[in-house]
Amino acid sequence: MNIRDIADIAGVGVSTVSRVINNHPDVKVSTREKVLKIIEEYNYIPNNSARVLKKANTNYIGLLVKGIYNPFFYEMINIIGSIIASAGYSMLYEQGDYKIYQDVDNIISFSNEKKLRGVICLGGNFIDLTDESFSSLNIPVVLTSVNTVSKLGKKTYSSVGIDNVKAAYEATSYLIELGHKNIAIILGKDDDMGATWWRFNGYKKALAEHNINLKEEYILVGEYESEKSYEVTKKLLQEDNDVTAIFALSDIMAVGCARAVVDSNLKLGKDISLVGFDGLDYSKFYTPAITTVKQPRKLMAETSAKLLLSLIKNETENEHILLDTKLIKRESCNKIL
Amino acid sequence: MNIRDIADIAGVGVSTVSRVINNHPDVKVSTREKVLKIIEEYNYIPNNSARVLKKANTNYIGLLVKGIYNPFFYEMINIIGSIIASAGYSMLYEQGDYKIYQDVDNIISFSNEKKLRGVICLGGNFIDLTDESFSSLNIPVVLTSVNTVSKLGKKTYSSVGIDNVKAAYEATSYLIELGHKNIAIILGKDDDMGATWWRFNGYKKALAEHNINLKEEYILVGEYESEKSYEVTKKLLQEDNDVTAIFALSDIMAVGCARAVVDSNLKLGKDISLVGFDGLDYSKFYTPAITTVKQPRKLMAETSAKLLLSLIKNETENEHILLDTKLIKRESCNKIL
DNA sequence: TTGTATGCGTTATCAT
DNA sequence: ATGATAACGCATACAA
């Protein structure tokens, strides 16, 4: 069943059917209705490939997600997906693990191969972006929750994110204000140039401002996993009796820490203070509830999708949007002398 | 840059280039290398739409996910995605909320529109499946973590899931064996004919076998949300002093319950026993750790993807696979007299 | 307002 | 082993 069949059945030319399908104005109302009825009746669906081949553009938007198991992104995927869908686009989803470091090449080949109209990247490393990085790409790119280190190429892509340095600085400062001096930090990956790196910088900045020395032993790596964070925290608590606070760079890791504290016969929110990062639901329902840096992930998702849509429609220029985080104080922290 | 350009540059015919691209045997090694070099040099990527138009089949596999925020599915999405990708297919992702009840129509239009090679559905309601439901569909369908009620049409699709009745029966029986008689249950949605309904049946079966009456007041609805579950649990504990155990049909909801117990000045794992469902990581790290029914979600994801791939390759017939769940006993339950 | 004819880039058939 | 050419289904320029 193709456009010609419909045309024959309706007793009209193919172009008329095409015009009906594409809502062109120059069709008599009665003709349009007749054609529409037949399309309906025969369940005709235009061949997308032929359309794309002819028009040389698709209605695909690519979503490139970095990090296999990142609950933080999952919710965002669906928000982005629904906005994209209601704008008439389809979402082509691809994910890569943390090991792939050629993210730019990834985007370009993804785009070329699938003839995308635009791309959103959730996470990823874009360390050495240049003015030419995206030059071979003629579709808009939105990097969301991505930390670019380079100042170059800002005109060639958009971004939506948070100020990781500031967020981590605030969280660490909060712990310091509560009187903590021995503050351990659980990093995601130690070779990560993304969020981990910037947040680590915020932590170091806060320590430095209060003349607290950075201690090697207090820098742990949790691999963004509860389990791993549990292990490293437990080990730390066994070996060191001075530590009074822990800053975990994700809530997933914070939960692992929390349990490690309990299992070390210490009281969370009393012997050890804990701050997480992300603002996932379950930090709120944990016992005791875990203080965390809340990222506006719904807003981030919405902003990204809407921005990309505007960019595709050429309604706006590339933008770099930083959204606010919020330190949510709960029961896992307390004041010490 | 198209196949003709490459052919011209290489000084060969288009068919030769096509043969090279598609790894056809009848090409002299030297010719193949020459063409390959030029393809590489000019960064030529074959036009997918033209290919599809010609071959009348894509390399798209559709993933239809039900339920906007279901962490249980998220991890599975990525596992499925990576298996699909390494088999050379791309994943077209669509999601719907719980309100859409015409899931079969959804699959069919999705498939037709995108010329999919196969579809995996994560969740969803397929209550009145008939032998004809999928008859207009000539691609394999795998329903994962879906509860079909109908016995019809089993030859026309595959499924991967767990025995929800049995799993819920075991969990409830466990609580009963511990001495509990007043066991509340937190359902997902009250009008859900999917997992909730079957698990609810397992719960009822266990109660009936031990001559425990089903109490209206003990049937709560948590909307698959921690927050909502928190509220209904808190209300229950205020109004009723007899309840000694709660069975939450998802870990997300269990976490909400857990906190509600604490906030009602009761001790979880002592005054109130709690069993969750799913086996998400954080039930393990909760304090106290939450007993839960673990679903083998990685295995479910792998099984689904591999099954679909075999079905596409016509290597196997439709199958209906039930995987085992496991009750993981932790600290949130205790024996009462 | 409507129909005819052409070409989008590829693969497959048929020659050579 | 290789090349010419005819589809695939559609949108559109042009003709009517």
Side-chain angles (χ1 to χ4, degrees), chain A residues 91-103:
Chain A
M91 181 169 126
L92 220 38
Y93 175 95
E94 249 186 31
Q95 108 257 336
D97 62 26
Y98 280 106
K99 280 162 209 137
I100 308 171
Y101 276 88
Q102 328 88 317
D103 285 323

Side-chain angles (χ1 to χ4, degrees), chain B residues 244-287:
Chain B
T244 60
I246 302 173
F247 179 25
L249 294 190
S250 86
D251 282 345
I252 316 224
M253 296 196 289
V255 168
C257 296
R259 184 66 208 204
V261 169
V262 174
D263 287 354
S264 302
N265 292 315
L266 294 167
K267 209 155 158 48
L268 187 63
K270 190 156 172 257
D271 304 318
I272 299 286
S273 289
L274 174 67
V275 177
F277 205 111
D278 282 347
L280 296 187
D281 259 10
Y282 53 78
S283 60
K284 173 174 175 185
F285 293 99
Y286 201 88
T287 306

Side-chain angles (χ1 to χ4, degrees), chain A residues 3 44 47 51:
Chain A
I3 198 172
Y44 163 68
N47 182 308
R51 285 182 111 149

